[in-house]
Every structure is written in C-alpha cells, then in structure tokens.
Amino acid sequence: MKFKSQYHFKGEIAKIQPYFSDLKVYGKLHPLIRTVKELKTQDASVSLFEVSERPFGWVPIQVRYQALVKKHKNLIGFQIKKLPFTKLNFNYEFIEITEKEFEIKFRVYMKSRMIGSRLFFKKMITAQNQLMNNVLLEIYQSEK
C-alpha cells in the first residue's frame, strides 16, 4: 500500500523541521503514540527509538516497534522495524516555495501480511492529518 499527500505551510522550514526530526517531540504531538524511548546507535547520522502506540482507542492493545529516523538535507525518513509481518517506511520532504512559505510532501509505503493491515494503514493516514494540525497549533501557541 502506498499513500502520498502534500501539506502547505506558512513560516520558516527551520522552525517546523524539529517537530519531525526529534521523535520525542513528534511522539507528544502524534495522536496514536503513547511512549517514545531513545535507544543507543553506533551511527550518529541516524536515531533509533522504541515506540509504543495504541492505534485503536476502543481496543486495549498497544503496538510496540522500533523507529529508525534518518535526516538528510530536506528529507526526514522513518523506517519502522520489529513490527510483525510488516515493512513500513515513510518520509517527509520539506520544499521551500518562498522564504516564508513551504510544503511538506508526505509519503508512506507499507507491505504487510498482518490481519487488519488495511484498517491500520487508514488509521495511520488519519493520524498524519491530525499530527499536522497539532504541529501547526503547537507553533502558533509558541509564537504567542
């Protein structure tokens, strides 16, 4: 399954990128993520985290996985590991339009043999839209 979307923002890329590159901050704003714990890595160009999320509020089941975060210029990529029967990657590409305007291209790829994977994928897309709104709200409140 593949999905891509674009989000248009006013402001400076440098102010918004940290909300996506630091998974601890990202996790606080993401509607499904419950906990984020940073793990040690040998490579300074990547960060590894253990993440716990509760994808469905009505089901008392938490999903645990590892997220490898890679940063390269205007691209922040996430590789999800240790999620049974599932390969999941997504990234955010930051594209400057003008000095005070930019867009974020969001792309996700998921290949899974997990039961309910389509429902999980749809839930993940909805969470991304909520995340973008939460980031905007956080930035707006910090500028007051």
Side-chain angles (χ1 to χ4, degrees):
M1 292 176 269
K2 295 179 183 178
F3 177 82
K4 60 183 175 179
S5 185
Q6 292 179 208
Y7 301 91
H8 194 87
F9 288 86
K10 296 207 182 282
E12 300 171 35
I13 290 176
K15 286 186 178 180
I16 292 186
Q17 264 184 332
Y19 290 95
F20 297 89
S21 61
D22 183 346
L23 198 57
K24 288 180 182 177
V25 174
Y26 181 94
K28 289 178 184 175
L29 299 174
H30 195 284
L32 304 178
I33 294 176
R34 298 292 179 240
T35 62
V36 176
K37 178 183 172 188
E38 189 164 8
L39 304 172
K40 293 182 181 180
T41 62
Q42 301 295 328
D43 188 350
S45 67
V46 298
S47 301
L48 182 64
F49 298 88
E50 184 177 86
V51 180
S52 172
E53 45 176 88
R54 191 166 173 192
F56 306 102
W58 45 272
V59 179
I61 296 173
Q62 288 196 14
V63 177
R64 291 189 200 294
Y65 56 86
Q66 288 184 352
L68 187 67
V69 182
K70 299 178 184 179
K71 296 169 252 177
H72 182 70
K73 295 184 183 179
N74 66 334
L75 189 69
I76 299 171
F78 291 73
Q79 181 182 5
I80 305 306
K81 301 171 155 242
K82 298 192 178 185
L83 193 58
F85 311 112
T86 303
K87 181 178 182 181
L88 177 60
N89 295 294
F90 56 96
N91 64 53
Y92 300 95
E93 183 179 7
F94 295 80
I95 302 168
E96 188 173 64
I97 298 169
T98 67
E99 202 172 290
K100 296 283 185 180
E101 189 176 359
F102 65 96
E103 69 182 23
I104 298 174
K105 287 189 178 183
F106 171 70
R107 293 180 189 92
V108 63
Y109 167 79
M110 185 170 106
K111 184 176 180 181
S112 180
R113 296 187 324 254
M114 187 170 55
I115 295 173
S117 61
R118 288 197 185 277
L119 184 60
F120 180 68
F121 190 74
K122 190 174 182 179
K123 186 78 171 173
M124 190 171 54
I125 301 307
T126 301
Q128 284 302 312
N129 291 329
Q130 291 173 336
L131 171 71
M132 292 298 179
N133 287 333
N134 291 345
V135 168
L136 284 174
L137 184 61
E138 184 76 17
I139 290 168
Y140 174 73
Q141 288 177 348
S142 70
E143 290 180 352
K144 281 187 172 183

